[in-house]
Amino acid sequence: MSIAEDFTPALLARAEGAPLDPPPQYAQLRREAPITRVSMWGGRVRPWLITRWEDARAVLGSPAVSSDSTRPGFPSSTAGAAAMPPGYFFAHDDPAHDLFRRALTREFMVKRIEALREPTTQIFERLLDGMVGSSTSADFVEAVALPLPSLVICELLGVPYEDHDFFQSHSADLISTAATGAEKAAAHQALGDYLERLVHDRRRAPKDDLVSRLAAHVDAGTFSVRDAADVGAFLLFAGHETTANMIGLGVLALLEHPDQLRSLYAGKAELANAVEELLRYLTIAHTGLSRVATEDITIGHVTIRAGDGVIVMLNSANRDAGVFSDADELDLARSNARQHVAFGYGIHQCLGQPLARMELQIVLPGVFARLPGLRIEAGRKVEFKQTSAAYGPSVMSVTW
Ligand code: HEM
């Protein structure tokens, strides 16, 4: 069955034996039907699928698309989806979206993120010490990739050190593939309640941290305590699993491309560029970005009508040979790697990208510098999250 006839989540899964590549059907769509209607969930929803880079940017950059999943026509597995709380601003349009995005813009500016470089390096070294200290093999995902981003988000928000374990263990439950629905709901509730208490504390006694600045917005009447706590929870949701997956998958991609890893050490590829290329090549947001048109939009020869759903496949756009030569090759020295759309495009483009970049620039070279013999443990398979919105390894047993 072709993608157009049945675009089920199963088809989104990566091809057997090629876990770093998107399904091969996308290459055919880019050539033959780059903007095409697909059938989802038994034909109940028929969004447009966008597979080329240029069209992806045109759709995501258009003011005539909405991210509001409650609008009729929005591609969603359940009809009549409930609205996300305002603090989860990725699911809202301007001006509601802009209110929160603006409140956070300064938090992700270079100077603030640079201030997190040293604490992030220390967190990384500590986690690596823990991994190598007690054994000769370990699950890299559990030991390093998963805890690191949530501990960095603790630093970003200003969660006190003594609460890091609480924060980290509940955020791990939130994205664990082993946790039940009830366990995830309990973790969500516990983190929400915790963040609400933290906002209250910071209103009474402000510090120099992100939660205190959100608390100041509450005092100024910009938004409520609940909204401020939701923003904190959303940052965790947006920045934890994504970065964890990118760390795990990035390490795996470098292990599978030893020539590229060597090029990094020989100085033939610059670190920042290498990270961009890994983001392009791996595109962990592999289920695409969903939108609904609010007005008619013409892209190329196709008119997407107001009310039509759209899914923009970032993983396909990032393998578009019209933009990236030898697009299916990992080339850490690629000159235009930064043109990728792994962080999306347009008004919702990833706010946390400077933080994600900084974490990857520390961890990826750091792991190999410390453990030059790092490899996947013989006889152990890497397991992947196939259906999750952010693709990556769920278990990756390594030895060194
Ligand atoms: C490698 C890691 C990451 C990847 C691949 C990634 C990817 C993305 C993508 C594709 C979007 C666009 C969603 C859309 O348009 O619907 C997005 C939005 C967002 N990301 Fe990230 N992200 C990463 C890490 C982070 C981190 C570390 C944070 C913060 C702690 C973060 C915070 C956000 C926020 C707040 C938004 C919503 C922006 C808006 O709606 O204006 N992300 N991310």
Side-chain angles (χ1 to χ4, degrees):
M1 202 177 268
S2 76
I3 277 188
E5 285 165 68
D6 185 11
F7 188 65
T8 60
L11 265 172
L12 292 167
R14 311 228 171 173
E16 183 71 23
L20 303 183
D21 292 320
Q25 290 97 324
Y26 291 120
Q28 190 183 351
L29 285 178
R30 281 195 304 274
R31 275 192 313 272
E32 295 169 10
I35 306 177
T36 187
R37 283 202 105 137
V38 292
S39 175
M40 290 177 84
W41 299 298
R44 195 179 52 72
V45 186
R46 293 191 66 244
W48 294 94
L49 195 71
I50 311 289
T51 47
R52 280 190 188 159
W53 179 89
E54 199 179 340
D55 299 336
R57 295 194 1 148
V59 169
L60 295 173
S62 167
V65 296
S66 167
S67 290
D68 178 355
S69 59
T70 64
R71 277 183 182 257
F74 191 93
S76 165
S77 58
T78 49
M84 293 292 270
Y88 288 75
F89 55 92
F90 78 101
H92 296 275
D93 301 327
D94 287 347
H97 157 263
D98 190 52
L99 176 84
F100 293 98
R101 176 131 189 162
R102 229 180 245 261
L104 288 170
T105 307
R106 291 173 69 86
E107 306 298 335
F108 292 92
M109 283 182 168
V110 176
K111 214 172 130 198
R112 288 256 162 86
I113 297 305
E114 277 311 304
L116 289 173
R117 191 174 281 274
E118 191 45 42
T120 302
T121 306
Q122 283 169 12
I123 290 168
F124 167 62
E125 296 292 346
R126 225 175 34 240
L127 291 172
L128 215 52
D129 287 345
M131 184 177 96
V132 300
S134 54
S135 177
T136 52
S137 66
D139 174 10
F140 182 75
V141 174
E142 194 188 3
V144 180
L146 259 192
L148 183 120
S150 80
L151 291 170
V152 172
I153 291 169
C154 282
E155 295 286 338
L156 173 80
L157 295 176
V159 171
Y161 187 76
E162 59 273 22
D163 297 338
H164 281 198
D165 282 349
F166 166 89
F167 199 86
Q168 154 57 22
S169 71
H170 282 82
S171 45
D173 282 351
L174 214 55
I175 56 178
S176 158
T177 42
T180 63
E183 282 164 345
K184 285 182 192 224
H188 190 260
Q189 180 75 36
L191 283 166
D193 292 349
Y194 173 82
L195 286 164
E196 207 166 309
R197 279 198 305 279
L198 194 60
V199 175
H200 279 301
D201 286 353
R202 293 295 187 267
R203 288 180 79 189
R204 277 192 297 274
K207 293 192 173 177
D208 181 14
D209 60 29
L210 192 152
V211 171
S212 298
R213 290 185 284 274
L214 288 175
H217 280 289
V218 174
D219 288 337
T222 320
F223 41 72
S224 68
V225 170
R226 185 72 247 171
D227 291 339
D230 283 344
V231 167
F234 170 45
L235 290 177
L236 175 68
F237 160 81
H240 183 194
E241 190 172 11
T242 44
T243 315
N245 288 351
M246 196 51 219
I247 290 172
L249 216 53
V251 166
L252 182 64
L254 291 173
L255 285 174
E256 291 200 352
H257 295 83
D259 54 325
Q260 291 296 311
L261 184 57
R262 275 193 299 276
S263 78
L264 195 57
Y265 285 103
K268 289 190 187 136
E270 190 229 338
L271 176 60
N273 199 71
V275 165
E276 298 309 314
E277 171 67 352
L278 284 163
L279 285 160
R280 178 197 74 85
Y281 182 73
L282 298 168
T283 316
I284 55 146
H286 73 154
T287 55
L289 299 181
S290 295
R291 300 288 192 265
V292 58
T294 54
E295 293 166 29
D296 292 358
I297 324 167
T298 300
I299 295 176
H301 301 296
V302 176
T303 299
I304 295 171
R305 299 276 172 213
D308 287 352
V310 187
I311 300 182
V312 179
M313 298 309 300
L314 303 180
N315 55 351
S316 173
N318 277 340
R319 296 290 185 106
D320 187 335
V323 180
F324 305 104
S325 55
D326 297 323
D328 288 328
E329 299 297 318
L330 177 71
D331 172 8
L332 299 184
R334 184 183 293 281
S335 61
N336 68 343
R338 273 192 86 95
Q339 282 181 283
H340 69 74
V341 286
F343 288 123
Y345 186 74
I347 63 165
H348 291 281
Q349 193 182 42
C350 181
L351 181 64
Q353 54 187 290
L355 182 60
R357 287 194 169 102
M358 187 266 280
E359 292 178 57
L360 292 167
Q361 288 168 13
I362 290 172
V363 174
L364 293 175
V367 167
F368 292 100
R370 177 95 178 261
L371 304 172
L374 188 81
R375 58 198 181 279
I376 302 297
E377 209 179 348
R380 304 288 294 269
K381 268 175 69 176
V382 180
E383 290 167 29
F384 296 94
K385 305 170 196 170
Q386 294 285 12
T387 51
S388 152
Y391 180 72
S394 51
V395 178
M396 196 167 118
S397 301
V398 293
T399 187
W400 45 87

